[in-house]
């Protein structure tokens, strides 16, 4: 059964921060956590990015995202939201 992971990403960011966001998304795909990331407007300030991953990879993907946010200092730009079934 697949799980959906949600990321809230700030819209108005610097070019440097935008590259960090793109790198995260690319790495999620290249590591095999997902094949596609869906992007939609949440409101004026944020995008909602969602992707599905297998139950087996869910925790690993979440840990990778949290480590990435911390190590690349983008905690004011990217937020990992609760996962849903």
């Amino acid at each position: 059964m697949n799980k959906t992971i949600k990321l809230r990403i700030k819209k108005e960011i610097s070019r440097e921060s935008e590259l960090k966001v793109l790198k995260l998304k690319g790495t999620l795909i290249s590591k095999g956590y997902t094949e596609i990331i869906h992007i939609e407007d949440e409101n004026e300030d944020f995008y909602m990015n969602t992707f599905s991953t297998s139950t087996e990879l869910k925790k690993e993907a979440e840990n990778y995202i949290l480590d990435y946010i911390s190590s690349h200092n983008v905690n004011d730009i990217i937020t990992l939201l609760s996962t849903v079934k």
Side-chain angles (χ1 to χ4, degrees), residues 3 13 17 20 24-27 34 43-44 46 50 58 60-61 66 68 81 85:
K3 300 287 184 179
I13 57 177
S17 296
K20 290 177 183 179
L24 170 61
K25 292 179 188 181
T27 305
T34 189
N43 57 37
E44 291 182 8
F46 295 96
T50 58
K58 176 184 135 312
E60 183 180 333
L66 291 172
Y68 186 92
L81 302 177
K85 294 182 182 180

Side-chain angles (χ1 to χ4, degrees), residues 7-13 21 24-25 42 45-49 77-79:
L7 299 172
R8 177 179 289 135
I9 300 179
K10 191 173 181 180
K11 285 185 177 182
E12 298 295 323
I13 57 177
V21 170
L24 170 61
K25 292 179 188 181
E42 181 182 32
D45 300 320
F46 295 96
Y47 293 112
M48 183 64 63
N49 289 234
I77 297 167
I78 303 171
T79 305

Side-chain angles (χ1 to χ4, degrees), residues 2 10 15 26 29 34 36 38 40 45 49 51 57 60:
N2 283 347
K10 191 173 181 180
R15 179 71 179 140
I29 293 169
T34 189
I36 189 166
H38 303 279
E40 60 185 63
D45 300 320
N49 289 234
F51 67 93
L57 292 176
E60 183 180 333

Side-chain angles (χ1 to χ4, degrees), residues 1-7 38 40 48-59 62 65 80-85:
M1 185 162 132
N2 283 347
K3 300 287 184 179
T4 300
I5 295 177
K6 293 183 178 184
L7 299 172
H38 303 279
E40 60 185 63
M48 183 64 63
N49 289 234
T50 58
F51 67 93
S52 294
T53 193
S54 68
T55 303
E56 298 81 26
L57 292 176
K58 176 184 135 312
K59 196 63 171 167
E62 290 175 331
I65 292 166
L80 175 64
L81 302 177
S82 62
T83 57
V84 294
K85 294 182 182 180

